[in-house]
């Protein structure tokens, strides 16, 4: 069943014709060319596909594009103000060496931002580790990711984002 | 995923009509089980009816007697509710540990119960607290709801609208999560209710079940020691790559002890 779908992605209104079975991540990657959102496990465990739908982090491999009809979607491409200025959480990952191969990073950053807002910028290590249950990283051992997120939370608060 | 016709009704009446009209309709709540199932081509519904736009199915109401949770209320909403945390802290804590953060942002209580996954968390709370499940047609006592592996008392065309949990004197839930999926290998919910102690187990059997021997022991003596010597038979319990039936039987006693201790 082909359906038309429209939503706001990274501040722009977009629409397209998709099959009812098209996943949100397929719509983002294949229809809109936003390949920053990754597909890792494709079984809603690894979190590489995390995006925000109406400000809440979700696994876009486990959501139909039509379920996001009318929603405001933010992907990793929608975070930085410009090519020169990263989002404070992205910057914190860079500063703290919070990535190695980088495959999981878009999902990590999107989950981290939701976590920071959910806890009103107040994060300790335990909260971050529990909050990252849905994001798998096979390189870093998580230590620097946790460090990045705690630093990123403070930077987000300071920047008022 | 096989293709299907997608519907997003705005009212219960429209949802029921769409379900009736479909050759093989499936209800979509949070989709945390249904979408993975469709992706694996384990189901091929003709129609998928998304309940997300039906406002009356969402929300949490708390009064002196307990907590009522709308079927489409997300785990994250139950986990973050200060009212739930005050009335039945064990329920808020259980919700806060289902799956992972992103699953809790989408998954719903109604979806979890209707699916009756043997390793889901909510069935333990529903059975352990003696909750009541309300559908568009009737109310169903928790003791009559879970019928077997992915099997419930729900009939064709019946939709869960809310779940009411009576407030216990005390309660706690302890689970041994599978480290990858976060599903319960075994989870035990214990509660001191107005009709006596209740002990409900998830993850171990085909569906959530009560352990009468532990309830009787706790009625005489509410302490972890009272359940320490009580074993459930391994026969009929789940065995898979993550653990044998014997291992799960052992975990039931361990988690029951921890839950009683945590309830205080």
């Amino acid at each position: 069943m082909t359906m038309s779908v429209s939503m706001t992605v990274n501040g722009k209104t977009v629409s397209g014709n998709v099959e009812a079975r098209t996943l949100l991540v397929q719509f983002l990657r294949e229809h809109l060319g936003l390949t920053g959102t990754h597909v890792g496990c494709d079984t809603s465990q690894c979190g590489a596909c995390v995006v925000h739908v109406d400000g809440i982090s979700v696994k876009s491999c486990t959501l139909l594009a039509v379920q996001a009809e009318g929603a405001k979607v933010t992907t990793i491409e929608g975070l930085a103000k410009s090519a020169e200025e990263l989002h404070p959480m992205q910057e914190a990952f860079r500063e703290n060496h919070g990535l190695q191969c980088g495959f999981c990073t878009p999902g990590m950053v999107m989950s981290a931002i939701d976590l920071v807002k959910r806890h009103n910028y107040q994060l300790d290590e335990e909260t971050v580790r529990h909050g990252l249950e849905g994001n798998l990283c096979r390189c870093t051992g998580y230590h620097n990711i946790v460090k990045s997120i705690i630093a990123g939370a403070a930077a987000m608060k300071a920047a008022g984002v | 995923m096989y293709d299907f016709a997608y519907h997003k009704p705005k009212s219960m009446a429209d949802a029921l009509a769409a379900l009736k009209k479909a050759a093989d309709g499936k209800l979509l709540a949070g989709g945390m089980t249904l979408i993975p199932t469709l992706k694996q081509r384990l189901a091929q519904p003709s129609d998928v009816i998304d309940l997300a736009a039906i406002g009356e199915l969402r929300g949490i109401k708390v009064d002196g007697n307990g907590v009522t949770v709308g079927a489409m209320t997300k785990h994250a909403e139950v986990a973050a509710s200060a009212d739930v945390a005050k009335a039945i802290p064990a329920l808020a804590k259980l919700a806060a540990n289902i799956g992972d953060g992103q699953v809790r942002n989408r998954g719903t209580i109604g979806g979890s119960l209707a699916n009756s996954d043997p390793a889901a968390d909510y069935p333990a709370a529903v059975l352990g607290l003696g909750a009541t499940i309300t559908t568009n047609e009737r109310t169903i006592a928790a003791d009559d709801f879970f019928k077997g592996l992915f099997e419930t008392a729900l009939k064709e065309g019946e939709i869960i609208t809310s779940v009411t949990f009576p407030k216990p004197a005390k309660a706690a839930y302890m689970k041994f999560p599978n480290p990858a999926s976060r599903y319960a290998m075994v989870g035990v919910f214990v509660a001191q209710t107005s009709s006596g102690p209740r002990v409900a187990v998830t993850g171990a059997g085909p569906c959530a079940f009560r352990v009468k021997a532990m309830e009787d022991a706790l009625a005489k003596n509410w302490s972890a020691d009272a359940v320490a010597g009580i074993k459930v038979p391994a026969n009929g319990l789940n065995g898979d790559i993550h653990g044998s039936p014997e291992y799960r039987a052992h975990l039931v006693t361990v988690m029951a002890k921890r839950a009683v201790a945590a309830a205080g």
Side-chain angles (χ1 to χ4, degrees), chain B residues 127-226:
Chain B
L127 201 54
L129 290 166
T132 303
I133 291 132
T134 303
T135 75
N136 57 310
E137 291 181 15
R138 58 182 169 148
T139 57
I140 307 169
D143 286 327
D144 302 325
F145 186 78
F146 301 104
K147 295 292 186 192
L149 191 69
F150 297 109
E151 205 187 321
T152 69
L154 292 170
K155 293 180 294 188
E156 286 287 317
E158 193 171 11
I159 301 178
I160 299 176
T161 54
S162 67
V163 187
T164 301
F165 297 91
K167 191 177 164 177
K170 52 187 171 182
Y173 176 65
M174 279 290 156
K175 77 164 158 174
F176 190 94
N178 176 306
S181 72
R182 307 287 166 191
Y183 270 108
M185 295 270 293
V186 166
V188 178
F189 198 103
V190 301
Q192 181 66 271
T193 73
S194 56
S195 57
R198 291 174 72 102
V199 177
V201 177
T202 192
C207 65
F209 63 88
R210 288 170 67 185
V211 185
K212 187 150 188 317
M214 287 185 179
E215 294 177 356
D216 292 344
L218 289 171
K220 289 191 196 108
N221 169 22
W222 181 277
S223 74
D225 287 346

Side-chain angles (χ1 to χ4, degrees), chain B residues 94-117:
Chain B
L94 176 146
N97 286 286
I98 298 173
D100 57 52
Q102 287 69 40
V103 168
R104 293 192 290 274
N105 284 344
R106 294 292 307 171
T108 67
I109 189 167
S112 171
L113 296 178
N115 188 47
S116 186
D117 190 294

Side-chain angles (χ1 to χ4, degrees), chain A residues 60-143:
Chain A
S60 63
C61 80
T62 312
L63 194 72
L64 303 171
V66 289
Q67 284 179 282
E69 167 71 31
K72 285 197 175 72
V73 177
T74 307
T75 71
I76 191 75
E77 290 94 341
L79 292 181
K81 269 196 201 149
S82 66
E84 290 76 38
E85 191 183 348
L86 292 174
H87 183 281
M89 187 59 77
Q90 292 174 304
E91 188 59 39
F93 269 70
R94 182 163 75 176
E95 282 295 315
N96 291 280
H97 198 54
L99 60 146
Q100 286 181 26
C101 87
F103 189 87
C104 73
T105 312
M108 287 286 178
V109 170
M110 299 313 285
S111 288
I113 291 169
D114 188 18
L115 194 65
V116 170
K117 298 204 164 158
R118 213 166 272 271
H119 290 87
N120 201 21
Y121 302 92
Q122 302 293 318
L123 291 176
D124 57 19
E125 185 180 333
E126 194 192 339
T127 311
V128 174
R129 287 187 185 272
H130 179 67
L132 287 183
E133 274 181 336
N135 292 82
L136 301 182
C137 171
R138 301 294 79 177
C139 306
T140 65
Y142 300 97
H143 191 69

